[in-house]
Amino acid sequence: MYVYDEIDQTLVDERVAQFRDQMRRRVAGELSEDEFRPLRLMNGLYLQLHAYMLRVAIPYGTLSSAQLRQLATIGRRWDRGFGHFTTRQNLQYNWPKLEDTPDILAALAEVQMHALQTSGNCIRNVTADQYAGVAAGEAADPRIYSELIRQWSTLHPEFSFLPRKFKIAVTGCADDRAAVKVHDIGLVARRNVAGELGFEVIVGGGLGRAPMIGHTVRAFLPERHLLSYLEAILRVYNRYGRRDNKFKARIKILVHERGAAAFTADVEAEWEAMRLDAVDLPPEEVARVAAFFAPPPYEGLPGGEDRALTAHRFEDRAFAQWLPTNVAAYKQQGYAIANISLKPEGGIPGDATSEQMEAVATLADRSSFGEIRVTHAQNLVLPHVAQRDLHAVWQTLRAHDVTASNLSLVSDIIACPGLDYCALANARSIPVAQRILRRFAGLERQHDIGELGIKISGCINACGHHHVGAIGILGVDRKGEEYYQITLGGHAGTDASIGEIVGPAVSSEQVVDAIDTIVATYVAQRRDGERFIDTYRRVGKEPFKESLYATH
Amino acid sequence: MTQQIHTANRLGDGRVVFLTVAGTWSTGLAGADIAAAAAVAHLEAKGREDEAARLVVGAYLIEVAESDGIVEPLRLRERIRTGGPTVGNDVGRAA
């Protein structure tokens, strides 16, 4: 884990003091709401449908147990005893009071956290592969470069007023879990034939009202040039990105309108002009930051499956069901990655109570070298669990109702807060997710269906990533009634694709039956070993359209 | 004929509030000052006044129906905004 130095801590502490004074001036009438709004948004404080909402940054989805425990404490003391993990690996509190917010920010600063750049037209919190540092076959640990980007982009004076918000995702694996192709910039760490480290640089992906897959502008950028090249991209965007129309202001529109080749030429020209004077990555700074992410002190455990684990697998059927879905292979023998699903039957995707957060923090201390990850799919991860501890970990998770054995299955739904909380939404997302979770509650059927990502957004801003759901659901308002437009064939991985609208939107009453029909059509059409996305790519949307609209 | 009431968020805690006939802001709809759509000037004036006085932020009018003394917002967004999230995890919702 990265540990703040004096500069980081001073910056965050000073920001708390500044916000405390800004709030005081607002309450005293020295600042109008129009003056205060951008200041509170710079500190992650929104005014939502029912109350203020505070979005806390979790840089690259990595948390220490002390940080997660503090998030639990804040939830209990200043909110309603829970928090909501988001699709950008952040955490949102839905009920903070304005007058408490400086104290909340101070409590975050105590554990080296903040809410900087979780709003506004700046470089937002950097996201990364949740298996960073523990996945086999990784070219490099993306946390190192995410942290370097965090430091470079935090309060960067040139990039604090971009045409629109800007999101960067980083992975070190060929198997993309960070959705790098649908970010403003996606970075994939690679090694060239000489074994040198570099990055594939992907620009102009995004979701929202104009979903696009990013373009590779550099197949291999040497590691040392990472920051200067990012700076060149941001400069081109800052200069040519549209500021006349909010809906056309993201970099994807610039890349699309200019053309990927011309945009790439612009970036290369800018880079050539500025790179010798630019800030770049000295090897000693990379080594300094990398030292924070050194592997934990592993025990020398034997290879193969731990014998106690094997015994528990046969003794405990529920545990045996959890293992294949929620436990992933670890690069070090004897260890495993334990995924904690925040998608219980009938639950709210991404919500965790303070008690659940504390239980996970305690488990992390006991069995994961004090470390937790947050995933963009709104789940948690204990990244370093010895195989022999898995059963004990699972038992504790079960006692706190977070052992749903559904990772990547049909009930592992991504959903934005929707009209239940969000001031921008047109329709509710969470109740649809809850109804689908109940409909597909039986694990046997879910396992038979296999990998299938359902993603739900309550408006076209697409915080629920519906465009890249194998089944995407978009809430729309039709004359005051909630309707849902269904897209099929979206995918956020290495072979990313944007879903296609299957037909007319369906009513709220019809939507769960429609999903059931789509799933049944897939099951009828699939060949051996095909996931939903594979079948869809083979047969196209017609069979789904036919079965869906024949029954409605 | 369409009727309207005035709503806003309280500055200090962000809670949803409604302007009452007594000229105060309440977290419930009981006692809300209901006006015909063509006669809402006094509501808007009071909203601006209380925004300037830093009691509330973001005041706006919403359409309601009144029947047997019960006031109901017409749009789904406002029904949810008035009643709270429809999905649980709303423990302890208080004034």
Side-chain angles (χ1 to χ4, degrees):
Chain A
M1 291 279 303
Y2 179 72
V3 178
Y4 276 12
D5 63 14
E6 198 181 332
I7 295 170
D8 296 303
Q9 192 66 52
T10 301
L11 187 150
V12 169
D13 289 342
E14 284 180 350
R15 183 52 89 86
V16 175
Q18 287 162 7
F19 186 70
R20 195 179 293 281
D21 187 55
Q22 288 158 357
M23 189 209 72
R24 181 196 62 73
R25 287 191 285 152
R26 171 70 183 115
V27 172
E30 296 166 26
L31 293 175
S32 69
E33 183 62 14
D34 284 346
E35 290 166 326
F36 181 62
R37 188 184 303 110
L39 299 173
R40 67 168 162 75
L41 287 172
M42 282 179 196
N43 292 285
L45 189 66
Y46 291 70
L47 185 55
Q48 284 285 25
L49 204 58
H50 307 288
Y52 290 102
M53 179 273 280
L54 181 67
R55 181 179 295 154
V56 177
I58 300 176
Y60 37 95
T62 299
L63 282 171
S64 70
S65 55
Q67 289 173 328
L68 184 58
R69 207 168 273 118
Q70 187 78 322
L71 292 175
T73 301
I74 291 168
R76 186 179 288 117
R77 180 166 176 194
W78 288 296
D79 205 87
R80 293 187 174 176
F82 69 99
H84 176 74
F85 290 100
T86 76
T87 52
R88 300 215 69 253
Q89 300 178 309
N90 290 324
L91 180 118
Q92 293 181 178
Y93 294 111
N94 288 317
W95 304 98
K97 295 176 181 171
L98 173 64
E99 52 224 32
D100 291 336
T101 305
D103 290 338
I104 297 173
L105 295 177
L108 290 169
E110 283 174 18
V111 291
Q112 307 190 346
M113 296 185 79
H114 58 73
L116 299 175
Q117 295 179 203
T118 59
S119 175
N121 295 336
C122 54
I123 300 171
R124 301 288 188 90
N125 184 37
V126 179
T127 54
D129 180 4
Q130 66 268 23
Y131 292 172
V134 297
E138 205 173 49
D141 186 336
R143 291 174 301 173
I144 300 165
Y145 302 94
S146 300
E147 175 57 29
L148 288 161
I149 294 168
R150 185 194 73 80
Q151 294 189 18
W152 163 78
S153 63
T154 298
L155 308 189
H156 194 305
E158 190 176 340
F159 305 134
S160 292
F161 297 94
L162 294 168
R164 198 74 180 87
K165 57 187 169 183
F166 203 91
K167 300 174 181 176
I168 301 175
V170 191
T171 183
C173 275
D175 181 14
D176 176 23
R177 282 173 289 266
V180 295
K181 290 191 174 171
V182 288
H183 279 76
D184 296 292
I185 294 179
L187 297 170
V188 185
R190 301 190 184 294
R191 290 195 182 272
N192 64 13
V193 285
E196 295 159 332
L197 183 63
F199 295 90
E200 179 184 354
V201 182
I202 301 162
V203 181
L207 301 174
R209 120 186 6 242
M212 292 181 191
I213 302 293
H215 300 271
T216 297
V217 299
R218 265 286 184 128
F220 186 83
L221 175 75
E223 177 205 33
R224 66 182 178 281
H225 297 312
L226 178 64
L227 294 187
S228 62
Y229 202 80
L230 291 181
E231 195 149 323
I233 295 169
L234 266 296
R235 280 190 174 184
V236 170
Y237 171 53
N238 213 10
R239 182 168 177 194
Y240 296 113
R242 289 180 62 168
R243 292 175 190 265
D244 61 318
N245 183 340
K246 183 181 175 182
F247 301 126
K248 296 190 173 180
R250 294 290 288 269
I251 195 171
K252 63 188 173 186
I253 302 295
L254 175 65
V255 175
H256 180 70
E257 290 187 348
R258 183 99 176 92
F263 175 83
T264 303
D266 290 346
V267 170
E268 291 287 334
E270 176 63 30
W271 189 60
E272 280 303 325
M274 51 76 80
R275 72 190 183 95
L276 294 178
D277 299 322
V279 173
D280 234 323
L281 269 182
E284 57 273 20
E285 180 60 7
V286 177
R288 186 186 74 84
V289 171
F292 289 106
F293 301 103
Y298 298 121
E299 286 178 61
L301 297 173
E305 182 165 293
D306 177 78
R307 289 183 61 77
L309 172 62
T310 306
H312 287 303
R313 186 194 285 280
F314 288 111
E315 287 162 5
D316 192 331
R317 190 173 171 171
F319 175 62
Q321 281 181 324
W322 182 73
L323 287 172
T325 50
N326 289 44
V327 176
Y330 195 96
K331 67 179 183 182
Q332 174 79 13
Q333 68 181 27
Y335 285 84
I337 302 166
N339 286 279
I340 301 169
S341 166
L342 298 180
K343 320 289 172 62
E345 183 184 335
I348 296 177
D351 269 19
T353 65
S354 290
E355 289 72 22
Q356 287 169 333
M357 289 189 237
E358 283 163 348
V360 172
T362 301
L363 277 177
D365 280 336
R366 199 184 297 156
S367 304
S368 184
F369 296 100
E371 202 182 313
I372 303 101
R373 307 282 173 81
V374 183
T375 82
H376 86 268
Q378 302 177 281
N379 293 315
L380 298 177
V381 179
L382 291 171
H384 325 274
V385 181
Q387 285 186 16
R388 63 151 190 269
D389 293 340
L390 279 170
H391 189 248
V393 164
W394 177 82
Q395 284 180 308
T396 302
L397 294 174
R398 187 172 59 168
H400 291 87
D401 195 27
V402 278
T403 43
S405 302
N406 60 357
L407 206 81
S408 302
L409 300 181
V410 66
S411 61
D412 186 9
I413 296 171
I414 291 179
C416 72
L419 192 53
D420 279 296
Y421 288 98
C422 180
L424 299 175
N426 293 319
R428 285 172 289 177
S429 304
I430 298 168
V432 175
Q434 290 175 318
R435 284 159 54 205
I436 296 171
L437 283 165
R438 288 194 196 96
R439 174 68 67 92
F440 291 95
L443 266 185
E444 205 167 314
R445 185 176 177 211
Q446 288 196 50
H447 281 279
D448 177 55
I449 296 164
E451 181 184 322
L452 204 175
I454 296 180
K455 305 186 182 188
I456 310 173
S457 303
C459 79
I460 195 62
N461 291 309
C463 294
H465 294 189
H466 65 277
H467 296 298
V468 287
I471 299 175
I473 302 173
L474 167 65
V476 293
D477 178 341
R478 187 182 282 181
K479 294 180 183 168
E481 299 287 324
E482 293 168 296
Y483 271 69
Y484 294 89
Q485 190 180 74
I486 297 172
T487 50
L488 298 177
H491 190 60
T494 309
D495 52 344
S497 53
I498 302 294
E500 300 172 293
I501 296 170
V502 68
V506 298
S507 71
S508 180
E509 289 70 36
Q510 293 168 322
V511 66
V512 178
D513 287 338
I515 301 306
D516 214 337
T517 301
I518 290 165
V519 171
T521 306
Y522 152 64
V523 170
Q525 294 274 342
R526 71 180 167 190
R527 292 177 180 163
D528 277 355
E530 274 187 343
R531 301 167 300 167
F532 181 96
I533 187 70
D534 303 322
T535 301
Y536 183 81
R537 285 174 176 171
R538 179 173 55 79
V539 304
K541 74 176 173 186
E542 285 311 316
F544 296 94
K545 190 173 180 178
E546 198 178 309
S547 58
L548 193 55
Y549 295 99
T551 54
H552 286 293
Chain B
M1 188 160 147
T2 308
Q3 294 182 304
Q4 295 187 326
I5 61 173
H6 216 34
T7 183
N9 291 80
R10 233 166 19 202
L11 174 65
D13 62 6
R15 289 304 130 78
V16 175
V17 286
F18 304 93
L19 187 59
T20 70
V21 288
T24 57
W25 294 89
S26 167
T27 54
L29 286 173
D33 192 346
I34 305 167
V40 293
H42 70 292
L43 298 182
E44 292 178 302
K46 179 66 174 163
R48 283 194 295 273
E49 184 184 321
D50 286 350
E51 282 180 336
R54 305 176 309 282
L55 295 176
V56 297
V57 291
Y60 63 100
L61 295 162
I62 62 170
E63 294 184 344
V64 296
E66 186 184 17
S67 171
D68 300 328
I70 297 170
V71 181
E72 285 188 57
L74 294 182
R75 287 186 58 205
L76 176 66
R77 180 184 194 276
E78 300 308 329
R79 295 171 77 88
I80 293 173
R81 193 166 168 275
T82 303
T86 62
V87 293
N89 261 358
D90 184 34
V91 285
R93 180 176 159 82

